[in-house]
Amino acid sequence: MTGPNGGGAKEPEGLLTVIIALVANALIAVAKSIVAMITGSASMVAEAAHSWADTGNEVLLLIAERRSVKPRDDSHPLGYGREAYVWSMVAAFGLFTAGSILSITHGISQLSVPGEEEMDYRWAYIVLAISFVLEGISFTQAVRQTRSSARAAGMRSMKFVLQTSETTLRAVFFEDFAALIGLLIAGAGIGLHQLTGNEVFDAVGSILVGVLLGVVALILIVRNGQFLVGQTVDQRIRNKALRALLARPDIDRVTYLWLEYVGPSRLYLVAAVDLSRDDAESVLQGRMQAIEDELERADFVERARLTLSAPDEPALAPTDPDPDRVPGTRG
């Protein structure tokens, strides 16, 4: 049985992705802030706010990575995995407030009160180019991890990054993507300002960057909220889990199956099964406990709970064909 994101244990590459994004955004934020003060460009102010918001978000995502892998205890019988969605939610709100709202309000203020100083375009273009390279490095790492995981899961990359339970990967992917688009918008606003002498273009660039950040933040907020309130797995993963249970020689039927995310790549599994052989109740209980313990040894199963099926309950069957099944065999 493969993991819910196409593999087994949570990939250490996820931590590398966040660290690369953190370093890149911190360097970019400092450079943009200096140039924003030198040029007075509204688009550069928006970009500086964007990068500082991203830097703070990466710190929160690192906290999410570390706290979500703590082992379960008596106070958290399903583990601490959902902390990843809590901290990612906080990061998304930070992106919305510190990035989106600040950029939009600053752009609007520049529309009504245009500056009088001449902008130093050279420094603006230099920093935008350097930022694009650094953001590109971070985004390349996020794309590499996304493609690898999507390939293992048999999904397209964009569908995977929207559906995956790996919230830090989704956050870095969309934040870096938005950063690259925002740099192009800022560059266009500054370029049009230089060509026309009209500062409206620079202010509009700031507003558009803010709108872009707001859209990305809302996507991340909605997805984290769905996992926090109890996100079930998709049908593809459910079919894999059902086949894995039916492939066991000690399970004849499965009549109920519930799989819910309790953290990134961590599942809570509940199933009603009909065990092979008619043993005494005390023996059956021991056999079920042994199966639960074996299931929980899988890196992606946080907790497994089995119960006996009622005799009249209909058996479940996978809803799609098994490409690996040999005709005439069980399962």
Side-chain angles (χ1 to χ4, degrees):
M1 179 178 170
T2 57
N5 290 316
K10 189 175 180 179
E11 300 176 7
E13 189 179 9
L15 183 60
L16 175 63
T17 299
V18 178
I19 291 175
I20 290 175
L22 172 60
V23 173
N25 280 308
L27 293 173
I28 293 169
V30 172
K32 286 179 180 177
S33 298
I34 294 173
V35 174
M37 289 187 290
I38 293 174
T39 64
S41 166
S43 292
M44 287 305 301
V45 171
E47 280 298 307
H50 178 184
S51 293
W52 281 117
D54 281 352
T55 302
N57 289 349
E58 308 311 333
V59 173
L60 293 174
L61 293 179
L62 280 177
I63 295 174
E65 284 280 329
R66 303 302 299 172
R67 293 185 63 86
S68 65
V69 297
K70 292 171 58 179
R72 66 175 183 256
D73 52 33
D74 291 339
S75 63
H76 292 79
L78 293 181
Y80 290 80
R82 285 197 174 108
E83 281 213 36
Y85 304 118
V86 173
W87 288 101
S88 296
M89 177 80 82
V90 174
F93 276 115
L95 181 67
F96 185 78
T97 54
S100 177
I101 295 178
L102 179 59
S103 298
I104 292 173
T105 54
H106 183 73
I108 293 174
S109 68
Q110 289 298 105
L111 283 175
S112 57
V113 186
E116 298 178 356
E117 296 182 1
E118 184 67 23
M119 181 187 301
D120 189 337
Y121 300 100
R122 178 187 56 184
W123 283 108
Y125 291 135
I126 290 174
V127 169
L128 287 176
I130 294 174
S131 299
F132 198 88
V133 172
L134 292 175
E135 290 286 5
I137 293 172
S138 178
F139 185 60
T140 298
Q141 170 62 24
V143 169
R144 183 183 296 115
Q145 184 186 351
T146 299
R147 286 180 175 173
S148 174
S149 300
R151 191 180 305 113
M155 300 172 65
R156 293 183 177 180
S157 296
M158 185 54 67
K159 182 178 180 181
F160 175 83
V161 81
L162 283 170
Q163 294 188 357
T164 181
S165 63
E166 294 289 341
T167 182
T168 55
L169 172 61
R170 178 169 40 251
V172 172
F173 182 95
F174 277 109
E175 287 176 7
D176 285 348
F177 178 75
L180 291 172
I181 300 299
L183 288 169
L184 295 177
I185 293 173
I190 293 171
L192 290 172
H193 178 189
Q194 182 181 13
L195 289 173
T196 65
N198 190 341
E199 296 180 354
V200 169
F201 291 108
D202 189 27
V204 169
S206 176
I207 295 172
L208 291 178
V209 169
V211 172
L212 174 66
L213 297 183
V215 171
V216 169
L218 288 176
I219 292 174
L220 298 178
I221 289 170
V222 169
R223 288 302 286 140
N224 283 307
Q226 290 170 337
F227 280 99
L228 277 173
V229 299
Q231 174 78 50
T232 59
V233 303
D234 61 31
Q235 194 62 43
R236 174 185 54 85
I237 297 174
R238 188 175 186 276
N239 286 330
K240 286 185 177 182
L242 182 56
R243 285 198 184 92
L245 290 173
L246 292 173
R248 298 182 60 91
D250 44 8
I251 293 180
D252 287 338
R253 291 189 311 144
V254 178
T255 59
Y256 176 81
L257 179 61
W258 176 262
L259 293 162
E260 179 181 330
Y261 285 107
V262 292
S265 298
R266 304 294 290 176
L267 297 174
Y268 179 40
L269 183 153
V270 181
V273 300
D274 186 9
L275 297 182
S276 59
R277 303 197 313 269
D278 293 327
D279 293 323
E281 182 177 348
S282 58
V283 176
L284 286 174
Q285 182 59 40
R287 290 176 61 194
M288 290 178 63
Q289 183 63 57
I291 296 173
E292 290 176 354
D293 292 342
E294 185 176 342
L295 290 172
E296 289 178 6
R297 282 195 286 272
D299 293 317
F300 48 88
V301 177
E302 183 67 46
R303 204 82 176 190
R305 286 293 176 261
L306 302 181
T307 186
L308 290 176
S309 301
D312 57 345
E313 286 184 293
L316 299 179
T319 57
D320 62 349
D322 184 359
D324 300 322
R325 182 181 176 187
V326 178
T329 60
R330 178 178 179 270

